[in-house]
Amino acid sequence: MLHFFPPNNEKMRSKVPSLVGVVDVLVANLEDGVPLGEKEAARAGLVEVATTVNFGTTQLWTRVNSLDSPWCLADIRAAVVDCAGAVDVIILPKVEGPEDIHYADRLIAQLEAESGRSTPMLIHAILETARGVANVEEICLASPRMQGLSLGPADLAANRRMKTTRVGGGHPDYLVRSDPDPENTDAPRAVYQQDLWHYTIARMVDACVTAGILPYYGPFGDIRDTTACADQFRNAYLLGCVGAWSLHPDQIAVAKEVFSPSAAEVAHARRVIDAMGDGTGAIMLDGKMEDDASVKQCQVVVQLAAQLAATDPELAALYGIGN
Amino acid sequence: MLHFFPPNNEKMRSKVPSLVGVVDVLVANLEDGVPLGEKEAARAGLVEVATTVNFGTTQLWTRVNSLDSPWCLADIRAAVVDCAGAVDVIILPKVEGPEDIHYADRLIAQLEAESGRSTPMLIHAILETARGVANVEEICLASPRMQGLSLGPADLAANRRMKTTRVGGGHPDYLVRSDPDPENTDAPRAVYQQDLWHYTIARMVDACVTAGILPYYGPFGDIRDTTACADQFRNAYLLGCVGAWSLHPDQIAVAKEVFSPSAAEVAHARRVIDAMGDGTGAIMLDGKMEDDASVKQCQVVVQLAAQLAATDPELAALYGIGN
Amino acid sequence: MLHFFPPNNEKMRSKVPSLVGVVDVLVANLEDGVPLGEKEAARAGLVEVATTVNFGTTQLWTRVNSLDSPWCLADIRAAVVDCAGAVDVIILPKVEGPEDIHYADRLIAQLEAESGRSTPMLIHAILETARGVANVEEICLASPRMQGLSLGPADLAANRRMKTTRVGGGHPDYLVRSDPDPENTDAPRAVYQQDLWHYTIARMVDACVTAGILPYYGPFGDIRDTTACADQFRNAYLLGCVGAWSLHPDQIAVAKEVFSPSAAEVAHARRVIDAMGDGTGAIMLDGKMEDDASVKQCQVVVQLAAQLAATDPELAALYGIGN
Amino acid sequence: MLHFFPPNNEKMRSKVPSLVGVVDVLVANLEDGVPLGEKEAARAGLVEVATTVNFGTTQLWTRVNSLDSPWCLADIRAAVVDCAGAVDVIILPKVEGPEDIHYADRLIAQLEAESGRSTPMLIHAILETARGVANVEEICLASPRMQGLSLGPADLAANRRMKTTRVGGGHPDYLVRSDPDPENTDAPRAVYQQDLWHYTIARMVDACVTAGILPYYGPFGDIRDTTACADQFRNAYLLGCVGAWSLHPDQIAVAKEVFSPSAAEVAHARRVIDAMGDGTGAIMLDGKMEDDASVKQCQVVVQLAAQLAATDPELAALYGIGN
Amino acid sequence: MLHFFPPNNEKMRSKVPSLVGVVDVLVANLEDGVPLGEKEAARAGLVEVATTVNFGTTQLWTRVNSLDSPWCLADIRAAVVDCAGAVDVIILPKVEGPEDIHYADRLIAQLEAESGRSTPMLIHAILETARGVANVEEICLASPRMQGLSLGPADLAANRRMKTTRVGGGHPDYLVRSDPDPENTDAPRAVYQQDLWHYTIARMVDACVTAGILPYYGPFGDIRDTTACADQFRNAYLLGCVGAWSLHPDQIAVAKEVFSPSAAEVAHARRVIDAMGDGTGAIMLDGKMEDDASVKQCQVVVQLAAQLAATDPELAALYGIGN
Amino acid sequence: MLHFFPPNNEKMRSKVPSLVGVVDVLVANLEDGVPLGEKEAARAGLVEVATTVNFGTTQLWTRVNSLDSPWCLADIRAAVVDCAGAVDVIILPKVEGPEDIHYADRLIAQLEAESGRSTPMLIHAILETARGVANVEEICLASPRMQGLSLGPADLAANRRMKTTRVGGGHPDYLVRSDPDPENTDAPRAVYQQDLWHYTIARMVDACVTAGILPYYGPFGDIRDTTACADQFRNAYLLGCVGAWSLHPDQIAVAKEVFSPSAAEVAHARRVIDAMGDGTGAIMLDGKMEDDASVKQCQVVVQLAAQLAATDPELAALYGIGN
């Protein structure tokens, strides 16, 4: 998962070493959340962290200010030129179309050449405008630098004029209602709450997979409601996302749990794979038809387990994967 | 909201002045709902109303017959040339692709030139075919005359072969069911009704926002079931629509209520905005993380309240906005 | 509905004549489900069935191996050249974009010319990759040979990295949760399960209707759970699909029932149509507004009933359609 | 060839019957060449001619005013609705892109429906802007109504800022010069005049053939210089045009002669075709290699001869084609 | 015309003031012609000239190094940020497609914002690769900053592998030859030299006019052969170009003469315009047909004369245009 | 150059070994020139030659029948599968658009997989339809298998309805004429023959260079007129082509001479390169301005010389390139 920290905040900078190895990615956030007057301090904080901390296998990314802001050019220059190669990925917020990626791609290329950087800086875009969603396939395909996409539900809601002030999650007013009882039309009618984000996440996942890049759910704002946070993360996980953001230490554990399959799921997947032999043909198992395609579904689960176990001994034990 | 009336009906024409100031837009409907034999009468009724009623700040729009009908050319000519500039927007039904908008755009331009009309006639399109949905982004971007889009759920359902005969709203048969209880596979299983219109409305909203035009939900057919009507309108409102149609006086009140935020929502939005000072940075409020993006969400609510309060003293009082 | 059989299996081949007249389409499956070592046997089985069975009004289709497999070229040649014109439609799996259809289209044309086949072989594509969904409109419009599209939920789930090992149907973990009770935040909160497939089916239906071809739901893997199978089929039916696959005799009855309207629905649709006279104008019926558009919705139901009744005497009796 | 006449001029109208059977097409010109004050008279003249003259196998076309003029809508209405089906083709001047054809296409369709016209009105476009040339392929492919394209060299030259005031033909200043004699650099150097129109005509021909429509050279302004007129027509003929305009009776004979192959050419073409038997293989004839492709070249000449001979007894005799 | 000077050369810099008012545009050349070791000096020279010379109505442009060079980013920054607003246009060499213009456009926008520049910096592109020619329409339409295009014949020839080492102009080996005399096949046969650049210039002109920008011929390398230089410039002028480059003081006079119409041409154009009254209708003049279109051709000449006369008293006298 | 032979002709097959090392490429021609009744014999002849002759550094290509012929599928199969890897390039005739290349590309890929061929078969397309020219850029970019393009002037002329029965070369009737002498309008006027193929070759060269593939002129039909053949080849060479076809042994020498630069040209090119040192900056040489761009032009000549000298000792000596 991506864990965000504000590099303008000295205390938070000092905690960065303690998060190395705990989270997959540390994101130095230069954009929303950093007060207007601390933009330069945040950029300097990024450079300080990048050039002083040993990140091991944890990655360091940075979210720069948007392309129409006065800070973007200097933010990108700092990330590419001044961070001694420590930044792996630049997160571009508020991407609207492929032209935004094309611009960043070439600017980064010119700065890489200038600075002698030898590995390509990758780009992760945030989907947080309606136009970005309408162009999401083109955005994902816009450059070989594209690493992935995150959903930014707060900005996207505002841009769409969605009447929710929540950052991700459900809304009690989005619902369908059962028909009235014809015998008693005044009787209460059951209501069923609906998912505000189904279309957006499903289309984003397809766009990412089409381009061979990775989809992530983004932030969940209600830090206290870890249950709802887990629900939202799990929906994204089920629909095909590979991770989410954490804004607070409490969300790190939530993300870890949600984005790991359960032992039972892994066991079931293995059982299908084993029963299918060379992976072709069709069998009945527990009353269900399994064939070449269900093997592929099971491999998604098993491969994810193997990948997680490789760096997490607890999960390795849980899944029975020896080292 | 858009209130429809049949201009072929003399009684309905006579009520038009009483609706001025009550609804945002009065729509003289020349298309579906007007019997075959009254198409010319409806057109004449439009011209009569347009040239005799004083509309004040209420707008007069007209829904013309579709581009493949024998009435369309004369309908558009009447709206542009014969209505003394009183018609603000032409509603084009059954729009399939940008080519429909291009054609109407240029025809209107030639008629404007002929008639000396000095303000541009705008176009509002109805999304009521599968091909229209597949082309919705191109439709929205097809012309600077585009004012907005409405969903037409009845025609769209028929065109898609959806097996519902309802005009908008839910359907009791669209549902997912919980897994059987492994201990008791014959036990009843909970079912959860789903929203037939999620994809359609969500994609339509994105297309409109991309083009800078306004999305509306359209008609709700079950006049008696104002509860379900409110549910449908509220779903559209939450997903980003700015209004809906009313087909009957009873629906005017429903639309008014649904498309206005509650006092509590406005108060909450103001509280976040106030707490965020210049609108940048990040804070914790009631256990939730708020930052630049959540401020934008709150501004959507506050700006809508201000806009409504400007013409509605009751809402102004409710929101505490003095005049 | 499409009923699949494995032509490599002699017993299944021998049952084919007994299914003629029972199902709409018999599909000789050469792809997933056929073991690696039996690919040639399956192809030979197709040719045997095609050249020896009298299919009457039941159609014979075949699902060939995918375009990137080593069997595809020979499979297509067999279907077009060696089956004596008995195969009506080739099902192409794992279609990713219009280029796949273009290739198959021209190859079939060259083989038709070579073999002197006089009716055009049609193509039915399966939507089972994220890229296929992203390109679904172009796929449907790619050739006049296109007959329709089926959803392949297992392959699609695997390709998207959806964390479900089910073949179609719901998943208990995809849910939204009601807000906590502010008075008692520890109280249990209602959850509402969501439909994993809403976006995919809705967009597929629009793409098919845009191109004038037919959308089908595909396989449902849990053969035992006919209730959930019916739910899934009915959702697709409501959203606009015209049929589904059956993998097992038990699913034939499910499909028959789901894809036929009920007598009550047909009666209601007829009542609206009758009340609307020439199909134009607007009336109130049971408190609902009905107009030209609702007539079209009702005609969808009535025409489907008539179509089913033409070949099914029981349904004809149920709908009161004499012969 | 297309012979233009001004229908506002009564004397010219009275000569129309005498041109029937003499020219292939009579074009009633409503656009350039008709004085501002006579636009309505020209339109009325068209209707008079169309409804009173018997055109036999000669076609009647009309050049309407351009789409951005105040006369276009009424011109098209007159041609489609008021001319009793006598007009075969509308010539649209100053076409810039496919959108112009799309607009005219649909407007004509609506007027055809209104007037009950049963044969489709065709469109011939004039290429007389730089943007038209840049879009020429799209223009040709824009509609099945497209009959052909003419080059309009005067408007095109003005639009391109070409510094020539001639209407077609060469210009003495467009030339290349031989290198100086190194022995005598002051010696006069040979100059070679170049063709201003090579690119334009060659690309126009390709665009027309791509769309299956016919390319024409347009007007030649220097009525007295019939030699240069013949040169210009012949260049177009060689490059693939099928005809040209005549603005004056003197040019009718020029066009007839240029656009007919000579007897020697026809004889040579027949000789190659005869020598090639079934049209395949390769032979040497007069020291030249002839094969399947050269047979096709010869067929172009022979078929043109046959087509001309069918209506022109003199040419029939010249080519030795009996009736 | 555009006069190029090398700002790395102090002597040339010192001559700049003497060229103000003599040429239309002074181009500080940072690219080809500047030795590798003097790139920084050239950039500094540009800044010195820009900030010290008073340019009056003469424009200052600069040709920066190409987008794939190590100097481009700093060159553009210098032109936009460091030249105190004195640079009107940036010439981008080796433009291959619209993506090059898009990148420069946005980079300039960000630098303008940074530097507070208030008038938009325009872009002039050089067409000097085959891919640039293939994309020339898209290049011209890529941005509202586009001012014009120049042909770069040397780079373009090299990129195309044209076997000429000349910079513009003709080539004695590009020729067609008359047929052999059938009576005497050994007799010498006339040869006709052809224009290497016809297609390129004609297509470039159309692309520019389509986008509303200005086409220029570029450099002519043979400084001594002013006759051939004048030929080349005149061809471009006739085909629609509005100017050319001068690389040497001797070429300034050539360009001035070629790109001004002769007094006779201006007089003829005026005569046609006068004879045509309101510019509509058709007349015969000297045996030529003149109509609305020929008036437009004549206006091109007359307007050019007026424009030149406005700043050149000699030409004003020549054309009889008083001040 | 490409030398064509008919593999259906046993005598010609027997001469193949004698041409190895003499020509660059031997093309076994299965298409135009092979009589209808010898198509299978030609294909068998190709396989015989391919599997028995040792080609050394000479390449073996084959021109297959066109995609709409009944022989194409078998021709391509023979070339890919049956020729033991001896065929380097397939020449596809009558290519109309990128879809033709896409089809051949994938068919070849499937046959390569089937036959275990390990080096990719390349594709050379012939431009011989108007639609091919209109789509030439897309054709060149359609696949990484594209090796180059040849102009097919005979088919192209027929398809365009050009009124020439010659295969390449000039036409005496395509000419511009000098103005009449105003003093003596009856005096003979000079005429200047024009190049029929300028636009076609120039655009083809740009398309090829854009895609990084090689342009060739194709056949010249008048075997006896080697002078005109040399003219046509030289024009193509100057405009950027890298070779041509020979249909007859006499044309081999013509092609060799034309497509090799003269010793004087090579010497001049070397002189410029030497004078320019590191290739940057600007100098005057013989009164001509030379800079970075002219160096590139000269390198085209010098590199071609080096390439030719590598396999041709006579040219090596002529250019003074030691081995």
Side-chain angles (χ1 to χ4, degrees), chain A residues 166 195 206 231 286 289 292, chain C residues 33 160 174 177 179 221 224:
Chain A
R166 299 165 180 224
D195 180 10
D206 281 342
D231 290 339
D286 306 335
M289 170 82 81
D292 314 50
Chain C
R160 281 174 169 168
Y174 182 25
R177 193 178 299 262
D179 282 357
R224 271 190 324 201

Side-chain angles (χ1 to χ4, degrees), chain A residues 156-174:
Chain A
L156 182 54
N159 186 251
R160 283 173 167 171
R161 293 192 206 86
M162 287 170 77
K163 312 307 178 317
T164 172
T165 55
R166 299 165 180 224
V167 179
H171 193 289
D173 288 351
Y174 182 27

Side-chain angles (χ1 to χ4, degrees), chain F residues 27-223:
Chain F
V27 181
N29 172 30
L30 309 183
E31 198 225 9
D32 286 0
V34 172
L36 204 60
E38 300 182 31
K39 293 292 184 183
E40 278 76 17
R43 195 187 300 136
L46 159 67
V47 176
E48 183 195 309
V49 165
T51 54
T52 58
V53 176
N54 178 353
F55 284 91
T57 59
T58 294
Q59 294 210 328
L60 174 65
W61 298 11
T62 186
R63 178 168 73 169
V64 298
N65 286 283
S66 66
L67 288 167
D68 60 354
S69 78
W71 307 289
C72 179
L73 210 52
D75 287 352
I76 293 180
R77 172 174 284 275
V80 180
V81 177
D82 302 332
C83 286
V87 177
D88 300 288
V89 176
I90 285 175
I91 302 184
L92 265 189
K94 298 176 181 59
V95 169
E96 299 256 4
E99 65 281 7
D100 291 343
I101 305 298
H102 293 154
Y103 176 70
D105 183 12
R106 190 178 276 210
L107 181 62
I108 291 171
Q110 294 196 316
L111 294 170
E112 283 175 347
E114 184 181 322
S115 68
R117 190 185 153 107
S118 58
T119 54
M121 174 71 79
L122 300 185
I123 300 173
H124 181 102
I126 317 179
L127 205 59
E128 43 194 349
T129 65
R131 197 171 157 248
V133 178
N135 290 331
V136 65
E137 294 83 10
E138 286 79 11
I139 290 169
C140 292
L141 290 163
S143 162
R145 288 186 197 274
M146 286 299 295
Q147 178 273 343
L149 222 64
S150 284
L151 176 67
D155 265 294
L156 183 54
N159 186 252
R160 281 174 168 169
R161 295 191 204 86
M162 289 172 75
K163 311 310 177 315
T164 173
T165 55
R166 301 164 179 225
V167 179
H171 192 289
D173 288 352
Y174 182 26
L175 55 83
V176 291
R177 193 177 298 264
S178 62
D179 281 356
D181 179 349
E183 309 298 312
N184 177 9
T185 55
D186 292 338
R189 295 153 67 176
V191 296
Y192 304 93
Q193 196 176 319
Q194 304 292 317
D195 179 11
L196 285 170
W197 304 105
H198 170 80
Y199 160 66
T200 312
I201 294 179
R203 184 167 171 185
M204 179 180 81
V205 167
D206 280 343
C208 286
V209 175
T210 296
I213 70 172
L214 300 175
Y216 297 74
Y217 176 78
F220 189 83
D222 193 341
I223 306 294

Side-chain angles (χ1 to χ4, degrees), chain D residues 137 166 172 191-195 198-199 202-203 205-206 209-210 213-215 225 227-228 231 234-235 237-242 265 268-269 278 280-282 284 286-294 296-298 300-301 304, chain F residues 31-36 39 63 94 130-131 133-134 153-167 171 173-180 189 192-200 203 221-224 247-248:
Chain D
E137 294 84 9
R166 300 164 180 225
V191 296
Y192 304 92
Q193 195 177 319
Q194 304 291 319
D195 179 11
H198 170 81
Y199 160 66
R203 183 167 172 186
V205 167
D206 281 342
V209 175
T210 296
I213 69 172
L214 300 175
D225 192 349
T227 304
D231 291 340
R234 196 175 295 106
N235 290 350
Y237 168 77
L238 278 167
L239 290 169
C241 289
V242 303
E265 286 169 327
H268 171 71
D278 72 357
T280 65
M284 290 294 291
D286 306 335
K288 296 180 185 166
M289 172 81 81
E290 312 282 356
D291 71 0
D292 314 50
S294 25
K296 289 181 199 161
Q297 292 178 281
C298 292
V300 168
V301 172
L304 176 56
Chain F
E31 198 225 9
D32 286 0
V34 172
L36 204 60
K39 293 292 184 183
R63 178 168 73 169
K94 298 176 181 59
R131 197 171 157 248
V133 178
D155 265 294
L156 183 54
N159 186 252
R160 281 174 168 169
R161 295 191 204 86
M162 289 172 75
K163 311 310 177 315
T164 173
T165 55
R166 301 164 179 225
V167 179
H171 192 289
D173 288 352
Y174 182 26
L175 55 83
V176 291
R177 193 177 298 264
S178 62
D179 281 356
R189 295 153 67 176
Y192 304 93
Q193 196 176 319
Q194 304 292 317
D195 179 11
L196 285 170
W197 304 105
H198 170 80
Y199 160 66
T200 312
R203 184 167 171 185
D222 193 341
I223 306 294
R224 272 189 325 200
L247 304 179
H248 190 275

Side-chain angles (χ1 to χ4, degrees), chain E residues 14 39 42 44 48 57 74 82 99-100 102 113 131 133 137 164 180 232 237-238 241 256 282 294:
Chain E
S14 71
K39 292 292 184 184
E48 182 195 310
T57 60
D82 303 331
E99 65 281 8
D100 291 343
H102 293 154
R131 198 172 155 247
V133 178
E137 295 83 9
T164 173
Q232 178 64 78
Y237 169 75
L238 278 166
C241 289
K256 285 219 166 180
S294 25

Side-chain angles (χ1 to χ4, degrees), chain E residues 32-36 63 94 130-131 133-134 153-167 171 173-180 189 192 194-199 203 221-224 247, chain F residues 137 166 172 191-195 198-199 202-203 205-206 209-210 214-215 225 227-228 231 234-235 237-242 268 278 280-282 284 286-289 291-293 296-298 300-301 304:
Chain E
D32 286 0
V34 172
L36 205 60
R63 178 167 75 169
K94 299 175 181 58
R131 198 172 155 247
V133 178
D155 265 294
L156 182 54
N159 185 252
R160 283 174 167 168
R161 293 192 207 85
M162 288 171 76
K163 312 309 178 314
T164 173
T165 54
R166 301 164 181 225
V167 179
H171 192 289
D173 287 351
Y174 183 26
L175 55 84
V176 291
R177 192 177 300 262
S178 61
D179 281 355
R189 295 154 69 177
Y192 304 93
Q194 304 292 317
D195 179 11
L196 285 169
W197 304 105
H198 171 80
Y199 160 65
R203 184 167 172 186
D222 193 340
I223 307 294
R224 269 189 328 200
L247 303 178
Chain F
E137 294 83 10
R166 301 164 179 225
V191 296
Y192 304 93
Q193 196 176 319
Q194 304 292 317
D195 179 11
H198 170 80
Y199 160 66
R203 184 167 171 185
V205 167
D206 280 343
V209 175
T210 296
L214 300 175
D225 192 349
T227 305
D231 290 340
R234 197 174 294 106
N235 290 352
Y237 169 76
L238 279 166
L239 289 170
C241 289
V242 303
H268 171 71
D278 70 0
T280 65
M284 290 295 291
D286 307 335
K288 295 179 186 168
M289 171 81 82
D291 72 0
D292 314 49
K296 289 181 199 162
Q297 293 178 280
C298 292
V300 168
V301 173
L304 175 56

